[in-house]
C-alpha cells in the first residue's frame, strides 16, 4: 500500500480541515451510502472492489474525524495516525476495525433498517471461529528421474535431491513470534469470509466474499517471525534414496506421499511426484514391456542361414537364423523384454531381420552374382514359399 499523504482523511471525506463536526457527518453519510457494497452488487469485480476499498477508507476516515479526541490527535500529528499504516488496507494492526460497524453505528445499528433498507447481516456476525487457524495442504513437488533401460529392467535405487518448504523451526510453523501475536481477524471475526445479505430481483441472497483484511486466513499476525517473515515456512534441501521398481515406463509418475511442500499453518505436506524419464537406448526400442531390436543380415546369411549374436539386457545370446529368412521377418525371444511393473510376467524381445543389399561390388563379386541372374530359384514368385508369404510382405508396410 502506498504511503498516504498528510491529512488523507480529510481528502477521503472531501472536506476542509476547518470543517465542522456536522460537515464531517454529512460528508460521511453521503459517501457511505454511495459506496456501500450493497449499492455495487451488480458492478464488475473491479468496480466492486474499488467501491469496497473506498467504503473502508471512508469509514476509517470517519472513525478518526468523527471523534473529537481522535481528530485533535490526528491534526496535531500533522494529519497522520498514531499507529502508522503498517497493515494491508491501511489499518493499524492492533485495534479491531470494521467499516460496517461504523456504518451501522452511524445509521442506527446492525440489523435495523437504519436509513437504508434491507441489509441485515454483513459479516457472519458472532459466528465463532471453528477453532484453530485455517490450514492448507502443501503443494506437490514434481521431480524428473532419468533412468537407463538397464536400470528400468532391474529396478534401482536413486538419490533424489529436492528443495522443499518445511515448517519454520523458529516459530514452529506459526509464522508469529509467539502464540500471543496471532489475533483473530477483527474484520471477519476469524471466519476468513464475510457474508452479507443482498437484495436483488431474485429476492434475498447471501453473498460470501474472502475477507480482505486477513486474505481469508481468519487470523492476523501482529509480530511476524523474523526467520520466515510470517509465512511459517522455510526452504530446506533434502537428499534421500528412493527405490525405483523394475519395469517403470517413460512418463510414469511415482507418488511419494507427504514428501512435497509442507502446508501453511502446519497443514499437511503435499506429495513428491517422481516423473520417470527413460534415456534413449542405442539398441532397443521399447513398447510397454516388450523390446524391439533390428538385426542386419548379409545376403548369404539370409539365404543360407546363420548363427548371429543378439544383444539382450545385461548381455547377449546366440540366435539361429533359419535359411531363407526374408528381409523384414520378425522373430520373438520370449521373456527377454522388461519385467512388468506390476510383477506380472516379463515382456519379449522382438528381432526384426533386415537383409543388407550391398551397393558397391568388386568385379569378382559382380560376376558371381551375374551367374545367378537367370537361376530359377532367384526369380521372385509365389507358390514355392509358405502360404501367405506375400501377404506377410504386404504387412511390413504397416
Ligand atoms: Zn479476516
Ligand atoms: Zn518462522
Amino acid at each position: 500500500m502506498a504511503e498516504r499523504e498528510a491529512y488523507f482523511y480529510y481528502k477521503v471525506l472531501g472536506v476542509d480541515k476547518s470543517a465542522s463536526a456536522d460537515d464531517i457527518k454529512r460528508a460521511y453519510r453521503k459517501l457511505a451510502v454511495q459506496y456501500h457494497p450493497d449499492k455495487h452488487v451488480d458492478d464488475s469485480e473491479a468496480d466492486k472492489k474499488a467501491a469496497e476499498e473506498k467504503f473502508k477508507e471512508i469509514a476509517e476516515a470517519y472513525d478518526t474525524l468523527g471523534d473529537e479526541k481522535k481528530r485533535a490527535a490526528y491534526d496535531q500529528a500533522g494529519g497522520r495516525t498514531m499507529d502508522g499504516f503498517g497493515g494491508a488496507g491501511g489499518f493499524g494492526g492492533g485495534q479491531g476495525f470494521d467499516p460496517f460497524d461504523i456504518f451501522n453505528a452511524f445509521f442506527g445499528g446492525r440489523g435495523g433498517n437504519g436509513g437504508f433498507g434491507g441489509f441485515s447481516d454483513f459479516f457472519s456476525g458472532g459466528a465463532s471461529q471453528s477453532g484453530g487457524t485455517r490450514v492448507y495442504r502443501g503443494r506437490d513437488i514434481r521431480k524428473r528421474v532419468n533412468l537407463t533401460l538397464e536400470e528400468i529392467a532391474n529396478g534401482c535405487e536413486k538419490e533424489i535431491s529436492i528443495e522443499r518448504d518445511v515448517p519454520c523451526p523458529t516459530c514452529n510453523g506459526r509464522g508469529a513470534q509467539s502464540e500471543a501475536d496471532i489475533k483473530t481477524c477483527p474484520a471477519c471475526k476469524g471466519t476468513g469470509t464475510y457474508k452479507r445479505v443482498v437484495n436483488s430481483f431474485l429476492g434475498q441472497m447471501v453473498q460470501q466474499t474472502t475477507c480482505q483484511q486477513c486474505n481469508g486466513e481468519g487470523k492476523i499476525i501482529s509480530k511476524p517471525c523474523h526467520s520466515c517473515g510470517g509465512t511459517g515456512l522455510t526452504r530446506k534441501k533434502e537428499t534421500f534414496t528412493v527405490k525405483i521398481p523394475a519395469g517403470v515406463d517413460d512418463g510414469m509418475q511415482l507418488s511419494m506421499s507427504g514428501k512435497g511442500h509442507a502446508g501453511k499453518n502446519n497443514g499437511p505436506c503435499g506429495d513428491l511426484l517422481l516423473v520417470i524419464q527413460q534415456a534413449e537406448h542405442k539398441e532397443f526400442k521399447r513398447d510397454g514391456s516388450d523390446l524391439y531390436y533390428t538385426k542386419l543380415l548379409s545376403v548369404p546369411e539370409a539365404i543360407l542361414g546363420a548363427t548371429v549374436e543378439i544383444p539382450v539386457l545385461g548381455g547377449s545370446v546366440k540366435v539361429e537364423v533359419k535359411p531363407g529368412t526374408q528381409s523384414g521377418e520378425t522373430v520373438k525371444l520370449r521373456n527377454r523384454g522388461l519385467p512388468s511393473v506390476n510383477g506380472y510376467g516379463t515382456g519379449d524381445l522382438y528381432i526384426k531381420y533386415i537383409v543388407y543389399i550391398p551397393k558397391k561390388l568388386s568385379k569378382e563379386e559382380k560376376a558371381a552374382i551375374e551367374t545367378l541372374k537367370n537361376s530359377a530359384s532367384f526369380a521372385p514368385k509365389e507358390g514355392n514359399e509358405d502360404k501367405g508369404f506375400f501377404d506377410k510382405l504386404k504387412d511390413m508396410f504397416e
Side-chain angles (χ1 to χ4, degrees):
M1 168 125 206
E3 181 87 69
R4 287 168 170 180
E5 62 202 276
Y7 300 105
F8 175 74
Y9 288 162
Y10 288 98
K11 215 181 155 200
V12 166
L13 293 182
V15 294
D16 235 57
K17 261 179 275 173
S18 60
S20 70
D22 273 350
D23 291 339
I24 287 167
K25 260 192 191 146
R26 217 173 297 126
Y28 173 66
R29 178 195 294 275
K30 184 170 160 268
L31 292 170
V33 171
Q34 188 182 334
Y35 288 108
H36 192 285
D38 269 7
K39 291 262 182 179
H40 300 272
V41 169
D42 297 320
D43 288 3
S44 71
E45 257 341 282
D47 287 352
K48 239 184 256 180
K49 201 147 185 166
E52 202 177 300
E53 217 36 61
K54 195 84 183 166
F55 183 71
K56 275 192 213 162
E57 276 178 3
I58 296 155
E60 196 193 343
Y62 181 71
D63 185 47
T64 295
L65 300 187
D67 181 285
E68 227 177 86
K69 270 188 198 162
K70 284 191 199 167
R71 184 181 174 186
Y74 183 72
D75 288 347
Q76 209 157 33
R80 300 194 180 280
T81 49
M82 303 308 280
D83 53 1
F85 297 111
F91 304 125
Q95 281 297 312
F97 183 89
D98 181 349
F100 290 101
D101 280 347
I102 288 161
F103 184 88
N104 289 330
F106 189 92
F107 284 97
R110 186 183 290 265
N113 285 325
F116 116 69
F119 60 91
S120 51
D121 188 17
F122 297 99
F123 290 88
S124 38
S128 64
Q129 168 80 345
S130 52
T133 315
R134 205 161 293 252
V135 298
Y136 300 88
R137 181 182 181 271
R139 286 174 297 129
D140 292 337
I141 296 173
R142 223 167 268 273
K143 176 91 185 168
R144 196 175 286 173
V145 181
N146 294 307
L147 298 174
T148 64
L149 206 52
E150 283 78 7
E151 287 174 319
I152 289 172
N154 302 313
C156 62
E157 290 193 343
K158 278 273 165 182
E159 195 167 84
I160 306 286
S161 281
I162 54 166
E163 283 198 14
R164 63 193 287 242
D165 288 339
V166 295
C168 168
T170 310
C171 62
N172 292 319
R174 280 182 317 228
Q177 287 179 24
S178 77
E179 206 65 67
D181 297 318
I182 306 173
K183 299 252 169 31
T184 300
C185 172
C188 62
K189 315 277 192 287
T191 59
T193 57
Y194 65 80
K195 289 186 192 128
R196 43 194 193 83
V197 175
V198 175
N199 285 314
S200 75
F201 63 95
L202 295 170
Q204 288 205 328
M205 294 196 307
V206 177
Q207 264 194 353
Q208 188 159 323
T209 324
T210 302
C211 174
Q212 307 279 311
Q213 285 290 96
C214 61
N215 290 318
E217 298 276 335
K219 301 266 176 178
I220 285 176
I221 292 173
S222 52
K223 285 187 201 148
C225 164
H226 292 307
S227 304
C228 63
T231 61
L233 298 170
T234 181
R235 269 290 153 105
K236 194 180 168 209
K237 191 173 175 172
E238 286 185 9
T239 301
F240 46 89
T241 305
V242 178
K243 238 182 131 92
I244 309 282
V248 291
D249 211 339
D250 193 56
M252 194 177 263
Q253 280 188 11
L254 302 178
S255 170
M256 299 183 70
S257 174
K259 283 281 190 187
H261 290 298
K264 234 179 141 186
N265 298 330
N266 288 316
C269 291
D271 298 336
L272 171 60
L273 302 172
L274 300 175
V275 183
I276 302 298
Q277 195 160 49
Q278 180 197 310
E280 192 82 12
H281 195 276
K282 63 181 196 298
E283 282 165 332
F284 301 118
K285 291 265 174 282
R286 177 184 182 184
D287 182 16
S289 53
D290 293 331
L291 295 176
Y292 291 81
Y293 175 75
T294 301
K295 174 69 184 170
L296 283 178
L297 297 178
S298 70
V299 173
E301 279 174 336
I303 294 172
L304 305 173
T307 303
V308 293
E309 191 151 313
I310 300 292
V312 293
L313 284 170
S316 65
V317 292
K318 292 224 183 321
V319 173
E320 293 299 318
V321 178
K322 64 176 178 7
T325 291
Q326 300 297 323
S327 194
E329 222 177 290
T330 298
V331 297
K332 177 163 86 177
L333 297 188
R334 289 189 67 84
N335 299 330
R336 287 292 190 173
L338 295 165
S340 99
V341 72
N342 310 312
Y344 300 125
T346 305
D348 303 318
L349 171 62
Y350 290 89
I351 305 165
K352 185 175 187 175
Y353 292 118
I354 297 291
V355 179
Y356 176 75
I357 309 293
K359 285 190 172 161
K360 279 187 182 163
L361 296 174
S362 68
K363 246 189 194 148
E364 293 76 21
E365 288 163 343
K366 207 171 176 187
I369 298 294
E370 291 280 1
T371 63
L372 301 170
K373 220 165 101 178
N374 298 318
S375 170
S377 305
F378 278 78
K381 61 178 167 294
E382 202 168 357
N384 59 350
E385 301 290 345
D386 345 333
K387 205 167 157 251
F389 166 71
F390 280 90
D391 288 339
K392 264 195 231 160
L393 272 187
K394 277 178 216 148
D395 287 345
M396 287 175 194
F397 292 103
E398 286 168 6

